[in-house]
Amino acid sequence: MKALSRLMRRAHCLRVLSALALMLVLAGCASGPRAHPNDPLEPFNRNVSQFNDVLDRALLKPAATAYQHVTPALVRTGASNFFGNVSDVWSFINTALQLKPVEALDNLMRVSVNTFFGLGGLLDVASEMNIERHREDFGQTLGRWGVPTGPYLVLPILGPSTLRDSLALGIEGRADVVRNLSHIPTRNSLLSVRTLEARANLLRLGSVVEEAALDKYSFTRDVFLQRRRSAVYDGEPPDAQSPQER
């Protein structure tokens, strides 16, 4: 738990790394005639990806596997529901910023119902009532208002991102209810559980990717960029696109 807490605290330095990546892009380094149009920093990204893989194999994956085995399913479900309810608050703000009234109302209703009738979010009553969840983050909000995606960027610990999404981390961090709790032991415990729960949910997917992909890095990059573009355009991206708008 303490190791994971330290990792979460060090994640604040990612904004500095994002700014450095921007400088590298502007300088034109790490690009070449065969460079992927959305990945001019591929050598840098591959190195960071390898670092993340080593860290994951040494710490995150074993911890998540142990967490999955020792934690009762009911407790895991409650934790997942709680963190989902917290994220719905931020999703509500972003759907409002994107001027999506129906989606914003759904998210507001989810937070209200689950907070007051779901024991603070431990129970997902809203889903039982068929109130749809609309996941939105600040990177999607920037994309909604025309901010270009920028190059693909792999962040230490956090993994796949884009320059736009990485620069949105500052706002995301300030809006994170868990990260801004004043009681430090509670904050660090919740951050650790959230990290373990998120990684545990990816255990099966990680095995599938490793078995199916000839080049794990390229596969992860292409799937991530497609999913993010689809999320920004609500599943209906325009046909015409420039490399930096994908």
Side-chain angles (χ1 to χ4, degrees):
M1 286 291 190
K2 291 183 179 179
L4 287 174
S5 298
R6 287 196 295 270
L7 286 176
M8 293 305 101
R9 290 197 297 270
R10 291 174 182 174
H12 285 294
C13 73
L14 294 177
R15 279 174 289 175
V16 177
L17 292 174
S18 300
L20 175 60
L22 176 59
M23 294 173 61
L24 292 173
V25 172
L26 294 177
C29 61
S31 61
R34 296 185 179 180
H36 188 284
N38 282 13
D39 192 7
L41 290 172
E42 183 171 343
F44 169 81
N45 286 333
R46 282 186 179 272
N47 287 334
V48 177
S49 183
Q50 291 175 0
F51 166 79
N52 287 345
D53 286 344
V54 171
L55 179 65
D56 184 69
R57 288 193 297 268
L59 177 62
L60 294 179
K61 186 176 180 179
T65 302
Y67 167 80
Q68 186 180 58
H69 288 163
V70 304
T71 307
L74 184 63
V75 175
R76 284 197 58 200
T77 299
S80 180
N81 290 339
F82 173 79
F83 292 121
N85 191 50
V86 171
S87 69
D88 284 343
V89 177
W90 186 227
S91 291
F92 159 68
I93 294 173
N94 279 286
T95 47
L97 289 174
Q98 294 176 38
L99 302 182
K100 298 179 178 178
V102 175
E103 291 83 351
L105 181 59
D106 281 346
N107 284 333
L108 179 59
M109 287 296 296
R110 285 190 59 86
V111 173
S112 301
V113 169
N114 284 339
T115 300
F116 292 105
F117 300 104
L119 303 178
L122 294 177
L123 303 177
D124 190 0
V125 180
S127 291
E128 297 294 330
M129 297 173 61
N130 294 320
I131 302 176
E132 188 175 355
R133 167 177 279 150
H134 306 275
R135 296 186 183 276
E136 301 282 348
D137 55 50
F138 195 64
Q140 290 170 251
T141 298
L142 292 177
R144 168 81 171 179
W145 296 112
V147 177
T149 301
Y152 178 67
L153 183 63
V154 181
L155 299 174
I157 304 173
L158 297 184
S161 184
T162 64
L163 184 58
R164 180 184 66 203
D165 290 346
S166 66
L167 294 178
L169 285 175
I171 301 298
E172 295 277 347
R174 290 180 179 275
D176 189 338
V177 176
V178 174
R179 188 177 296 280
N180 288 287
L181 289 174
S182 57
H183 190 258
I184 295 178
T186 300
R187 180 196 66 191
N188 290 343
S189 296
L190 288 175
L191 286 173
S192 297
V193 172
R194 184 169 67 180
T195 300
L196 290 174
E197 178 63 25
R199 183 61 185 89
N201 289 333
L202 296 174
L203 287 174
R204 181 175 298 180
L205 177 62
S207 299
V208 172
V209 171
E210 290 178 359
E211 293 175 2
L214 294 177
D215 183 356
K216 180 183 175 182
Y217 171 83
S218 297
F219 179 85
T220 302
R221 175 194 63 201
D222 294 344
V223 170
F224 174 82
L225 291 176
Q226 290 174 10
R227 286 174 58 88
R228 285 301 289 173
R229 188 166 188 272
S230 178
V232 169
Y233 290 102
D234 298 325
E236 299 180 357
D239 294 332
Q241 55 183 314
S242 66
Q244 295 301 325
E245 293 174 338
R246 294 179 180 177

